[in-house]
Amino acid sequence: MAKLNLRGGWRWLSIVVIVLVATSGAQAGPLTDQLKDDLGRVFRVIEETSVARAGADGIDVAARRDAIRIAAAPFFDWREMASRSLARHWQARTETERAEFVQVFGELVHRAYISQLERYSGESIRYLSERIEGDLGVVSTRFVTKQAQEIPVDYRLLSRGGRWRVYDVSVEGVSLVNNYRSQFDKVIRSSSYPELVKRITDKEFASR
């Protein structure tokens, strides 16, 4: 059975993750300010649990990943991201199925996300602008590589309960949600929704 694959998405996801922990000057605004605070919290955990600070006893990899995961949790709107990734298939799900999918989807993203966080090596990000329309917002940034190449990265956010959370990230015009949506739809149409959940749970969704 072939594994699900993001078709070159490992480099793409690496950029997303590094941008999530990079910091630099930014234009003022409520979305940008909150984004910087959220990213700063994740970045501090990464620094505090780094190999350089671990000392002679080394690091507890599992504990480090748990700490990063907890710090990053408020950043994402997992339910919104999961529902948009399932698209039309979300409507056919019971509330119990939806709750289960939000959980397994979060696990899927975390498996790739956290392993990439540990590769951060000082790259930076430039915050360019933000747009707000009702309860939706976009923060446009540029990821700056070590070779001074600038890569467009847009964060799409939703305001819920008085807080902005990310429900999609677009790198060079390629959406995280759209990437997953096409993969999920293909599995469901060729097999079934339970098969999709099984593949995700069994870690058959390629992470590299």
Side-chain angles (χ1 to χ4, degrees), residues 113-163:
Y113 171 75
I114 292 178
S115 64
Q116 284 299 295
L117 279 176
E118 296 169 328
R119 300 187 181 190
Y120 173 68
S121 60
E123 291 80 1
S124 64
I125 177 175
R126 292 198 303 117
Y127 295 84
L128 302 181
S129 65
E130 64 178 52
R131 303 189 306 275
I132 299 176
E133 295 182 7
D135 61 355
L136 297 177
V138 179
V139 176
S140 296
T141 74
R142 291 293 184 273
F143 168 73
V144 184
T145 69
K146 295 288 183 138
Q147 294 74 37
Q149 177 188 5
E150 295 193 2
I151 301 172
V153 181
D154 289 346
Y155 293 91
R156 304 189 184 282
L157 303 96
L158 173 68
S159 178
R160 200 192 302 274
R163 195 185 198 288

Side-chain angles (χ1 to χ4, degrees), residues 93-111:
R93 309 276 66 84
T94 66
E95 189 53 42
T96 298
E97 288 176 324
R98 290 176 180 179
E100 176 193 34
F101 188 76
V102 170
Q103 181 177 348
V104 299
F105 178 80
E107 293 288 340
L108 166 64
V109 176
H110 273 301
R111 284 199 297 270

